[in-house]
Amino acid sequence: MHSEPVASRSADPRDTRDAKGSRESRNGSRNSKPQLDSVSLAIIEQLQEDGRRPYAAIGKAVGLSEAAVRQRVQKLLDQGVMQIVAVTDPLTVGFRRQAMVGINVEGDTESVADALTDMSEVEYVVMTAGSFDLLAEIVCEDDDHLLDVINKRIRALSGVRSTESFVYLKLKKQTYMWGTR
């Protein structure tokens, strides 16, 4: 039987919502780091090369049975160690404008970060040390859409003091192979 890894349902497998819509973390703090042995790292490498690689082929490469690989992959997904997702080129699916937005916050940075994560146009949010309190990557249909997101939604958030936008002209490199080096 030919089996394929199944994508996790959430964009962030650690992120779940309770009945009231509040965020909870499945594995608690990021400081509670799962232990990864060389076999788990080899499985991750196999999936980074090809996220659709069959469990049987991965098992052959790492010296495990198909069932053992399936269990390991599920554990890695459940622990939030990895995700299996389809990555698209935004331009080919109708999103012609991308930008990184640096955000300075007065007061509670975490609440602004949480509000940003709820915006569908925001691909990721990081809390930083340096010139900005937060960095958010935005993917939009066009310049008007980007302007609307920044001006009417991000700048309107309570606590946002200032923003600086870095519009992407051309993406030269995007890789997800850093996970096991």
Side-chain angles (χ1 to χ4, degrees), residues 67-85:
V69 170
R70 182 180 294 109
Q71 288 175 339
R72 290 263 190 143
V73 168
Q74 190 58 55
K75 184 176 180 182
L76 292 167
L77 291 169
D78 290 345
Q79 291 176 327
V81 171
M82 67 175 193
Q83 303 172 56
I84 301 171
V85 298

Side-chain angles (χ1 to χ4, degrees), residues 6-179:
V6 177
S8 64
R9 290 181 287 175
S10 171
D12 182 347
R14 295 175 305 270
D15 183 27
T16 59
R17 293 183 182 261
D18 62 19
K20 295 179 182 176
S22 300
R23 294 184 189 282
E24 294 177 351
S25 179
R26 276 193 209 166
N27 64 344
S29 167
R30 285 194 90 132
N31 296 336
S32 59
K33 192 166 120 178
Q35 297 299 313
L36 300 177
D37 62 12
S38 61
V39 175
S40 291
L41 292 174
I43 290 169
I44 293 169
E45 285 178 356
Q46 291 283 311
L47 290 169
Q48 285 180 323
E49 289 174 13
D50 180 0
R52 294 179 41 161
R53 184 164 289 153
Y55 290 137
I58 295 170
K60 189 173 184 177
V62 302
L64 291 178
S65 70
E66 180 180 344
V69 170
R70 182 180 294 109
Q71 288 175 339
R72 290 263 190 143
V73 168
Q74 190 58 55
K75 184 176 180 182
L76 292 167
L77 291 169
D78 290 345
Q79 291 176 327
V81 171
M82 67 175 193
Q83 303 172 56
I84 301 171
V85 298
V87 178
T88 61
D89 175 353
L91 290 173
T92 64
V93 293
F95 296 100
R96 297 187 328 260
R97 181 54 68 213
Q98 291 178 269
M100 182 67 63
V101 180
I103 303 164
N104 286 309
V105 176
E106 242 171 30
D108 184 16
T109 304
E110 191 101 30
S111 65
V112 175
D114 288 343
L116 290 168
T117 64
D118 290 335
M119 294 181 188
S120 63
E121 296 87 354
V122 176
E123 290 303 309
Y124 73 82
V125 176
V126 291
M127 299 174 81
T128 65
S131 298
F132 300 103
D133 298 311
L134 300 167
L135 290 174
E137 184 177 34
I138 314 295
V139 178
C140 295
E141 295 167 11
D142 53 31
D143 288 337
D144 288 336
H145 186 193
L146 179 63
L147 178 61
D148 183 67
V149 170
I150 293 170
N151 197 41
K152 295 183 180 168
R153 295 176 53 209
I154 293 175
R155 289 182 179 157
L157 293 172
S158 177
V160 170
R161 185 172 20 131
S162 65
T163 65
E164 185 172 346
S165 302
F166 304 90
V167 174
Y168 296 4
L169 298 176
K170 185 174 187 178
L171 181 63
K172 292 294 284 184
K173 180 179 181 180
Q174 182 173 3
T175 181
Y176 300 96
M177 299 300 292
W178 46 265

